[in-house]
Amino acid sequence: MAGRGRIRAADIATVRERSKIDEIVGEHLQLKRAGGGSLKGLCPFHDEKSPSFQVTPSRGLYHCFGCGVGGDVIRFVQEIDHLSFSEAVELLAGRTGVQLQYEDDGGRATAGPDRAHAGQRARLVAANTAAADFYAAQLMTPEAAPARSFLADRGFDRQVALDFHCGYAPGGWDTLTRHLRGLGYTQEELVTGGLAKESSRGTLIDRFHRRLIWPIRDLTGDVIGFGARKLMDDDPGPKYLNTPETPLYKKSTVLYGVERAKRDIARGHQAVVVEGYTDVMACHVAGVTTAVASCGTAFGPEHINVLRRLLMDQDEFRGEVIYTFDGDAAGQAAAMKSFKEDQRFVAQTFVAVEQEGRDPCELRQAHGDAAVRDLIARRTPLIEFVLRTTLAEYDLDTVEGRVAALDKTAPLLAQIKDHALRPAYARRLAGLIGLPDEAEVVAKVRQLAGGEGADKRPPARSRAPQRSPEDAAREVEREAVKAALQCPELAGPDFDAVPPEAYTDPDYAAVAAAVSGAGGAAGATTSGAAWLDEVTQHCDRESATAMLTALAVEPMHSVGENDPTYVNALMARLQLMAAERELVAIKGRLQRTNPVEDSDGYMKMFQKLIDLEALARALRNRAAGGL
């Protein structure tokens, strides 16, 4: 941040306070209530089948118990958008209306960042947004008549074009470039953002010319790139041209229409995957508001991960994904390819193919909005479609054909992720092939699946291992440091009264020492992410520092969040363990002390023993009140 100072700490705190972490995270994945005031979802930073990503809005923190990432809302924006700390604060400040002020090392006010030093992502998003507005304005010019005709011929009027912010790239070599340069964007920014490219002569020219334009947005709604459709016969380029890979635009993760579909995908637990921009438009106009499409590449694993997070794709919240394909050979090949990736979903997958081979846009043109909705409603399970497509390649009137068909399709059934469906589809396959012995097909599928689905639970008489006293102590210590981080006002002096050296676990001892270094739980003047920051600064044990966010997010075992009765009993239990260990030590010293030779020392230890036993009794009563 040389040359422009650093952001004032008070402004950072204001940005953190005003940025609701559940709303920011919720733009990237679906969150469900997890109890204790927390929310959970599928982690956006690693692939997982069950949700381990937890958000605690009351403390402004998140943590993934699967991969270990965690922090506050600023850290989340840093990680999800690959930004520096300052860039993330500036982005959130823009969203929340916080006017940032900058200062030097001496606390003196300095000028804010100039345009040349602003964060790259913010600059590229701004340039793309300005380009989208420019293209949209060009759509209304005489030169753009072919683009307007293209949309009208497909049933999209001016209002639909405005809703989807469609645009037109004019024919001049550098019309957009000159416009954006006039707004202050640099040549490097336009090339980096994929908006322009260098000609063979080294001059800057627009990437798109004489094409219909669709702006492509990320989950948050930021414009990150464009799709462009050829309109003129003398255009030598491909039919569709997309923004190249940029710091913003990663085609393997981008889904057109996802920003407008995400809420209905989450609400209805359904996603419809179509093949093109006009198909997305047709579906949304027709009322199928969960439609998305890949951009410039095939629908692949990373696209699946995006949808899984939006669907909350796990056993408790099973939804459905519906693929639409053309009815031709290419569409069938796409369906077969999709089945190979299908096992990544927990959701049930379906395919919707129009009988005459029309895509959703063509179907809407021919038969109206209702026909599009009906196409999606008449979906077929993907495995059923794959079986029928595969069997069509064999002569099932011959013994050889039936055997070959079984050898080809049985392995497909063995891949079905839902074990309960395998026997049913095995029997279905037997009927489709014409085999009288259904049990033979079921057995073959089970054999190919490796016996999966069998009951692997331990015998009924087996018992879980008993917890050791050390384990019980560590559990109390973990709960105690969680309380000190999550509700220091309740943990207070009771937590501070137990010294770090009284802890049995070195990591929890280091956390307790860090709390003490930050002024103690009783002295905490902040809470949530700000309090966690203070404690982190005083934690000198790497393994303890790594678990701080988890401890600040992981729910305590109380009935309700920040339950005073529970925390009071917990602190009593923590103090009791320390007191009991001291009692054992004093009893040992008393046994080793000669009461005749050291009567004063003996009597002092004996009195301390009596006081400690009285304290232990009181603590046991307190601990029994809430644990």
Side-chain angles (χ1 to χ4, degrees):
M1 297 191 58
R4 62 164 171 151
R6 60 167 177 260
I7 304 171
R8 282 199 323 167
D11 293 342
I12 295 173
T14 302
V15 167
R16 184 186 285 123
E17 180 183 345
R18 291 189 185 178
S19 302
K20 295 184 178 180
I21 192 169
D22 51 327
E23 293 181 1
I24 301 297
V25 174
E27 292 178 348
H28 298 272
L29 59 141
Q30 185 186 170
L31 294 170
K32 292 287 185 179
R33 296 190 183 281
S38 293
L39 305 166
K40 67 178 180 179
L42 293 172
C43 180
F45 303 114
H46 82 288
D47 191 15
E48 60 179 0
K49 287 294 185 183
S50 298
S52 57
F53 188 88
Q54 191 155 306
V55 177
T56 307
S58 63
R59 288 183 284 277
L61 298 169
Y62 73 93
H63 184 80
C64 177
F65 292 91
C67 67
V69 300
D72 62 6
V73 66
I74 299 173
R75 183 65 180 172
F76 180 82
V77 172
Q78 281 185 261
E79 294 292 332
I80 202 73
D81 287 328
H82 307 289
L83 303 178
S84 68
F85 178 83
S86 298
E87 290 172 338
V89 173
E90 289 163 355
L91 185 151
L92 291 171
R95 293 184 54 151
T96 55
V98 177
Q99 184 66 43
L100 297 177
Q101 298 183 51
Y102 297 78
E103 60 187 15
D104 60 19
D105 292 339
R108 295 180 294 273
T110 64
D114 57 30
R115 297 183 68 86
H117 290 93
Q120 184 193 59
R121 186 186 190 282
R123 293 284 294 160
L124 296 183
V125 168
N128 274 273
T129 302
D133 291 340
F134 173 82
Y135 288 141
Q138 291 295 310
L139 185 63
M140 298 300 114
T141 63
E143 182 188 344
R148 295 194 298 273
S149 296
F150 179 94
L151 293 171
D153 290 346
R154 284 154 182 78
F156 303 124
D157 59 22
R158 180 176 180 177
Q159 187 57 50
V160 174
L162 289 172
D163 289 344
F164 284 85
H165 214 59
C166 296
Y168 176 74
W173 286 110
D174 61 351
T175 312
L176 174 68
T177 298
R178 284 187 285 106
H179 173 74
L180 294 179
R181 290 300 302 273
L183 295 177
Y185 297 99
T186 66
Q187 178 169 327
E188 181 183 2
E189 287 172 335
L190 299 187
V191 173
T192 301
L195 296 165
K197 58 184 177 179
E198 291 186 352
S199 68
S200 58
R201 297 180 179 180
T203 58
L204 209 60
I205 62 175
D206 298 346
R207 180 166 295 277
F208 305 116
H209 307 272
R210 300 188 302 161
R211 285 177 174 251
L212 175 60
I213 298 290
W214 287 271
I216 299 170
R217 302 175 186 270
D218 65 10
L219 280 163
T220 69
D222 286 339
V223 180
I224 57 173
F226 298 91
R229 210 279 187 186
K230 180 166 70 172
L231 299 169
M232 316 298 180
D233 293 337
D234 61 347
D235 186 338
K239 184 176 180 180
Y240 281 95
L241 186 64
N242 288 80
T243 294
E245 293 281 306
T246 73
L248 298 180
Y249 185 85
K250 308 294 182 185
K251 63 182 180 181
S252 62
T253 64
V254 172
L255 289 169
Y256 177 69
V258 71
E259 82 286 350
R260 63 171 63 228
K262 64 180 181 180
R263 297 196 184 280
D264 286 344
I265 289 175
R267 185 182 298 114
H269 302 297
Q270 180 200 75
V272 176
V273 180
V274 298
E275 293 193 319
Y277 304 117
T278 56
D279 292 330
V280 171
M281 294 173 69
C283 283
H284 280 264
V285 172
V288 181
T289 56
T290 57
V292 296
S294 57
C295 303
T297 186
F299 187 82
E302 292 184 82
H303 297 121
I304 288 176
N305 289 338
V306 172
L307 289 185
R308 289 192 63 241
R309 294 195 295 271
L310 295 177
L311 284 164
M312 180 67 87
D313 186 33
Q314 55 156 323
D315 289 336
E316 300 98 297
F317 301 103
R318 179 165 297 177
E320 59 182 40
V321 177
I322 303 169
Y323 297 99
T324 65
F325 298 111
D326 293 340
D328 56 15
Q332 292 182 354
M336 297 297 290
K337 183 177 184 296
S338 296
F339 179 74
K340 293 179 181 179
E341 297 290 351
D342 172 55
Q343 308 315 308
R344 294 176 180 268
F345 281 114
V346 175
Q348 296 297 299
T349 47
F350 299 83
V351 61
V353 177
E354 204 271 329
Q355 292 181 351
E356 297 181 17
R358 297 185 179 95
D359 60 33
C361 182
E362 294 168 337
L363 181 61
R364 178 174 175 269
Q365 287 175 259
H367 299 292
D369 293 346
V372 177
R373 296 193 297 270
D374 186 56
L375 171 69
I376 303 304
R378 289 187 291 101
R379 63 204 181 280
T380 301
L382 181 57
I383 180 59
E384 175 88 11
F385 180 84
V386 167
L387 286 179
R388 289 184 175 276
T389 300
T390 304
L391 292 177
E393 301 174 5
Y394 297 91
D395 182 1
L396 301 181
D397 290 331
T398 66
V399 174
E400 292 80 5
R402 290 193 293 271
V403 171
L406 178 61
D407 289 340
K408 181 71 173 181
T409 51
L412 297 176
L413 297 187
Q415 297 176 37
I416 297 177
K417 55 190 171 293
D418 190 336
H419 300 167
L421 290 178
R422 289 177 187 165
Y425 270 110
R427 291 189 287 272
R428 174 70 170 151
L429 176 60
L432 290 172
I433 294 178
L435 297 175
D437 191 352
E438 294 180 350
E440 178 185 349
V441 180
V442 172
K444 185 177 182 65
V445 171
R446 184 180 293 117
Q447 178 186 11
L448 290 170
E452 291 182 19
D455 189 354
K456 298 180 181 179
R457 292 174 296 177
R461 293 185 179 182
S462 66
R463 295 181 179 179
Q466 296 296 312
R467 286 190 309 163
S468 67
E470 292 79 8
D471 290 339
R474 279 193 290 269
E475 181 177 338
V476 172
E477 291 171 2
R478 184 177 183 88
E479 284 288 286
V481 294
K482 282 159 55 178
L485 293 173
Q486 297 179 19
C487 48
E489 72 282 0
L490 296 181
D494 288 337
F495 178 85
D496 298 336
V498 179
E501 54 269 21
Y503 285 73
T504 62
D505 186 282
D507 284 330
Y508 302 147
V511 175
V515 170
S516 177
T525 58
T526 57
S527 61
W531 171 236
L532 181 64
D533 278 347
E534 291 186 35
V535 174
T536 302
Q537 292 172 15
H538 290 86
C539 191
D540 56 8
R541 183 180 173 89
E542 186 176 348
S543 55
T545 302
M547 65 168 61
L548 281 175
T549 305
L551 294 171
V553 170
E554 181 181 301
M556 290 187 287
H557 296 165
S558 58
V559 176
E561 185 180 15
N562 296 356
D563 181 354
T565 302
Y566 174 79
V567 175
N568 177 60
L570 175 64
M571 293 302 107
R573 187 78 181 93
L574 179 69
Q575 292 177 289
L576 176 61
M577 291 194 309
E580 288 176 337
R581 283 193 288 272
E582 192 173 356
L583 275 171
V584 172
I586 289 178
K587 287 178 180 180
R589 287 201 299 271
L590 279 172
Q591 291 178 357
R592 296 189 299 271
T593 301
N594 188 318
V596 176
E597 295 178 357
D598 187 9
S599 60
D600 288 345
Y602 186 90
M603 290 307 298
K604 288 179 180 178
M605 282 190 287
F606 189 76
Q607 183 60 51
K608 188 171 185 179
L609 177 67
I610 293 174
D611 292 342
L612 272 174
E613 286 181 335
L615 174 62
R617 284 195 297 273
L619 290 171
R620 288 189 189 97
N621 290 334
R622 273 183 58 197
L627 291 177

